[in-house]
Amino acid sequence: TGTLTEGRPALATLEAAGGFDEEEVLALAASVENASEHPLAQAIVAGARERSLQLRPAEDFESVTGRGAQARVDGKLVAIGNVRMMESVGASDEALLEAADAHRAEGQTVMFVAVDGRAAGIIGVEDPIKKTTPRAIEELHAEGLEVVMLTGDNAVTAEAVGRRIGIDDVRADVSPEDKHRVVRELQAEGKIVAMAGDGINDAPALAQAEIGIAMGTGTDVAMESAGITLV
């Protein structure tokens, strides 16, 4: 988000599981994400406010690296994140998994929501690919460079985006540690690595690469870790 895309994600999908109301699921998720600076979290909060939903105080907020976040809202434990996050709170749901894959095939990033250990729904966020991205990839290829996408996003979403813009090597569901490891592995093969990123999760890889390139719209820690910032 924010490297190949516009960096302005917006709420695109909202579906509730049986027994839950869509707007209540969104309000609870936004109440948790209100404490986060992540662009996807901000898109959920903005989507709730556009619907005039009331955000509530979140207590015991916890960000779980590579999985998502959770907090207590109105006494309920609300978790939002990926499949690993849902498994950790015992809230996997086959119907929601199928629905999520359908939206991911369209390039959306889909997050699951659980309330007190019950699957509550999914929230899909869409971030348009920058108009300049396909040409940029073409020009990198013309220079003889290999382009690798490293993303914490789901493989279905990542492959859909990768196909659309001509990425050589798509690696999805990667943690910050994985990004750092992949850069080291490429260097061990004798390759010189330039890494571009904008998030906290990118910082270790930006620091490891021969050339770290941060997006000026991204997080401060990414810009501090990189040698170059694009403003």
Side-chain angles (χ1 to χ4, degrees):
T1 304
T3 304
L4 301 173
T5 56
E6 294 282 358
R8 293 190 295 273
L11 185 66
T13 296
L14 175 61
E15 293 185 23
F20 287 91
D21 174 75
E22 285 187 357
E23 290 198 341
E24 176 66 5
V25 169
L26 179 57
L28 289 171
S31 297
V32 174
E33 296 287 32
N34 201 26
S36 172
E37 293 182 355
H38 195 284
L40 298 180
Q42 292 174 354
I44 292 169
V45 172
R49 286 184 171 145
E50 285 169 9
R51 289 164 172 77
S52 301
L53 301 181
Q54 188 70 40
L55 301 193
R56 303 154 209 172
E59 300 175 343
D60 303 325
F61 176 84
E62 180 186 5
S63 177
V64 185
T65 303
R67 294 189 181 186
Q70 63 181 16
R72 288 201 173 274
V73 181
D74 292 343
K76 302 169 184 172
L77 182 60
V78 181
I80 178 167
N82 58 21
V83 171
R84 291 193 296 274
M85 186 71 176
M86 293 302 103
E87 288 172 348
S88 70
V89 297
S92 295
D93 183 284
E94 284 299 322
L96 289 180
L97 286 171
E98 288 182 17
D101 277 345
H103 296 300
R104 286 168 174 156
E106 299 170 357
Q108 290 184 27
T109 297
V110 180
M111 288 151 284
F112 298 89
V113 182
V115 178
D116 286 335
R118 289 176 59 208
I122 57 173
I123 296 175
V125 172
E126 203 163 31
D127 190 4
I129 294 168
K130 287 175 183 162
K131 291 178 181 177
T132 55
T133 295
R135 184 175 174 188
I137 301 298
E138 286 178 13
E139 292 185 4
L140 290 170
H141 284 154
E143 293 285 346
L145 300 181
E146 176 187 355
V147 184
V148 181
M149 180 200 294
L150 299 178
T151 176
D153 215 330
N154 176 272
V156 178
T157 302
E159 291 287 352
V161 173
R163 279 195 306 271
R164 204 180 305 167
I165 58 179
I167 298 286
D168 300 305
D169 183 357
V170 175
R171 307 199 191 190
D173 289 314
V174 295
S175 66
E177 294 78 14
D178 290 332
K179 292 183 180 183
H180 181 256
R181 175 182 52 75
V182 170
V183 171
R184 290 184 62 182
E185 287 175 356
L186 292 169
Q187 290 170 329
E189 294 171 11
K191 295 176 179 176
I192 296 172
V193 179
M195 167 75 184
D198 76 327
I200 293 170
N201 291 352
D202 299 317
L206 288 168
Q208 177 66 34
E210 275 81 7
I211 304 170
I213 305 166
M215 305 295 119
T217 54
T219 58
D220 289 343
V221 69
M223 287 184 269
E224 288 167 9
S225 302
I228 298 169
T229 297
L230 303 179
V231 297

